[in-house]
Amino acid sequence: MTATKRSHSRAARIAAIKAAAARQLASRGAAALSIREVARELDLVSSAIYRYFATRDELLTALIVDAYDDLGATVEAAEAPVARGRTRERWRVACRAVRSWAIANPHDYALLYGTPVPDYRAPALTIEAASRVIGVLGRIMDDDAAQRASVAPDDAGADVAGFLDVDNVAAVMPHVATGRYVRALIAWSHVFGSVSFELFGHFVGSVQDPGAYFECVVDELANLLGLASD
Amino acid sequence: MTATKRSHSRAARIAAIKAAAARQLASRGAAALSIREVARELDLVSSAIYRYFATRDELLTALIVDAYDDLGATVEAAEAPVARGRTRERWRVACRAVRSWAIANPHDYALLYGTPVPDYRAPALTIEAASRVIGVLGRIMDDDAAQRASVAPDDAGADVAGFLDVDNVAAVMPHVATGRYVRALIAWSHVFGSVSFELFGHFVGSVQDPGAYFECVVDELANLLGLASD
DNA sequence: TGTACATCAGTGAACGCGCGTTCACTGATGTAC
DNA sequence: TGTACATCAGTGAACGCGCGTTCACTGATGTAC
């Protein structure tokens, strides 16, 4: 009982540490995240943090997992209200949500999809956390395929079994034909590729209004996927 | 005359500093690049470096410019031997060259296309240097369009003038119809998006053999661009 | 309910490290007459 | 060709900074009998 009291305040402390660290991440980026600075913000001595996180990397891992989860939840929430059958609109909304989240949280986005932090090795935990967004985008493609199973025979004749993790991909979108996996991966990865290019400054000189451009891209990808128009 | 001697040895020093810095970049990444470490490698005192580069950022800028140039030259060299008319093959070869270069020089690639270095603002110089690779890929698309001007009417009806830097894009590929610009940008940026995903570990769990996958992607992009098959 | 003991949060000092940059300087290399 | 002067490369010490992590400790909170 009192045990719960102590563990409750412990949980609160952990949350406070993560929140402070997240704020620092948001304002100065992952490289600038420092245990001493976190401690300062909480009016603690730096060594106190070690009661909660054994190492800087452990704290960073927690932030990564939280960020993936936040992104996943955001995209889920954005896409949920759209009628299940309107797969193209779901796709659009989900893609927009990814981009908006990235723009609102550029350093978190960079932490997840940018250059890996040097000397940091991502534990399996983070890979699992990453799957939430993948799940949303995959489910949309899958629902579309399920609705119109007969329509498009796979044109990409390539035998994909040799170079994809077919089981994993199939688990995410069981109704999508194997021959369309490559396009699905292109569409999925391109969403992040576009956002990265925008955030990292590679559209300077070619794209003036990234928001409008992104809309076009999302529709082109929907075409590539053969999503039903509406 | 003797003036040239001094300036020659000066140029050699600058080259040596950049080479040492590039080695460190290659082995530990941009964040770990340190003027003191560079000086150590050259058996110099750290302050000596300031005779040649006013600041760490200036050195970093030089490395970025060199890296863009190296990438550009590599892709140009790879694509040059292919007959000009075989645009699809040129596209394939150029894309492969981008990927190979990235794999061979992962830290340079990350410096160019990954998360921007914190507190580093890229001068216009680097943007100019970046255009060399863009030029190669753009020229291929343009040559293809020039050869078969009549063929594909633009299907993407979007009026692109509002959100692209149409003049700049047109300068790179004057024969490509405005309506195809978005696809061209998708193809171009996706090459880097795929390479980034591979290098940064986001294909773990879905792509087993990134080389084979990349081949498929490149062909899909060629289809998207409507490049003549051969 | 009260006491003896164990657990845990947080302290404060220290270790050992590396960094970018400045500054006054020596000595060699080049220039002008 | 020789000398007086200016330019430049490189030195060595220092400034001031921040970092992650360890360790022996105090005092409060919780547990067992």
Side-chain angles (χ1 to χ4, degrees), chain A residues 210-221:
Chain A
Y213 170 73
F214 189 74
E215 288 296 315
C216 275
V217 168
V218 166
D219 256 354
E220 276 290 347
L221 295 178

Side-chain angles (χ1 to χ4, degrees), chain B residues 39-69:
Chain B
R40 248 172 261 135
E41 186 173 330
L42 298 175
D43 278 317
L44 285 178
V45 106
S46 64
S47 51
I49 306 293
Y50 288 83
R51 288 274 155 204
Y52 305 93
F53 294 93
T55 185
R56 200 194 94 115
D57 274 10
E58 204 174 297
L59 176 54
L60 201 54
T61 299
L63 293 179
I64 291 175
V65 169
D66 281 10
Y68 271 125
D69 213 54

Side-chain angles (χ1 to χ4, degrees), chain A residues 99-149:
Chain A
R99 177 168 175 267
S100 307
W101 186 89
I103 290 171
N105 309 278
H107 285 115
D108 296 72
Y109 180 83
L111 180 60
L112 304 185
Y113 294 99
T115 315
V117 176
D119 298 325
Y120 172 80
R121 275 291 90 213
L125 236 165
T126 66
I127 293 171
E128 197 186 324
S131 65
R132 193 163 172 182
V133 214
I134 301 176
V136 182
L137 299 179
R139 221 169 298 126
I140 297 172
M141 304 185 201
D142 192 60
D143 287 359
D144 185 79
Q147 285 172 215
R148 13 197 266 104

Side-chain angles (χ1 to χ4, degrees), chain A residues 21-44:
Chain A
R23 271 193 297 277
Q24 284 174 32
L25 181 74
S27 67
R28 262 158 303 159
L33 174 69
S34 123
I35 285 194
R36 295 188 102 109
E37 182 69 26
V38 168
R40 248 172 259 136
E41 186 173 330
L42 299 175
D43 279 315
L44 284 178

Side-chain angles (χ1 to χ4, degrees), chain B residues 74-98:
Chain B
T74 302
V75 176
E76 279 174 9
E79 183 259 3
V82 182
R84 301 295 82 190
R86 303 183 60 208
T87 49
R88 183 175 280 253
E89 180 63 10
R90 284 168 67 195
W91 170 257
R92 280 197 208 102
V93 168
C95 290
R96 274 180 213 138
V98 170

